[in-house]
Amino acid sequence: MVIRKRRRGKYNAQPVVIDGIRFASKAEGAYYMLIRNKPHKITMQEPFEILSAFKINGKRYAARKYKPDFCFYDGEKLAKVV
């Protein structure tokens, strides 16, 4: 029987749970602690489509998407992405 060690991530980030929310790293959790009581509307892990799907010479390319850790809104307007 071969026992394999669990491989660590590229940046050796350790997950952390704060207020019942699991964050991928301690740094992300610490940033959440700083911003959680701010008056702005904050969303987490909201996906954005950077580039729509397209075709060139009959070859189809998939849409490009980005999922930031935090998005800040000022009313309905996107103010900041972290």
Side-chain angles (χ1 to χ4, degrees):
M1 175 187 232
V2 177
I3 299 175
R4 295 184 182 184
K5 278 179 104 175
R6 184 171 174 210
R7 234 178 120 194
R8 295 190 76 155
K10 181 177 179 180
Y11 299 105
N12 294 325
Q14 294 178 340
V16 64
V17 176
I18 300 171
D19 293 341
I21 303 168
R22 184 182 181 278
F23 295 98
S25 68
K26 289 180 180 178
E28 189 178 345
Y31 189 76
Y32 171 76
M33 296 286 284
L34 289 173
I35 65 168
R36 68 179 172 182
N37 294 327
K38 299 286 182 184
H40 291 86
K41 178 184 171 203
I42 301 169
T43 61
M44 295 186 296
Q45 302 288 323
E46 178 185 343
F48 290 96
E49 190 172 285
I50 303 297
L51 182 64
S52 302
F54 60 95
K55 271 186 174 179
I56 296 179
N57 296 331
K59 184 175 179 184
R60 186 182 186 286
Y61 293 89
R64 305 293 186 225
K65 296 183 180 178
Y66 174 65
K67 194 177 351 177
D69 292 331
F70 302 99
C71 295
F72 297 87
Y73 288 90
D74 189 18
E76 293 296 317
K77 182 180 171 192
L78 181 63
K80 180 179 176 184
V81 175
V82 178

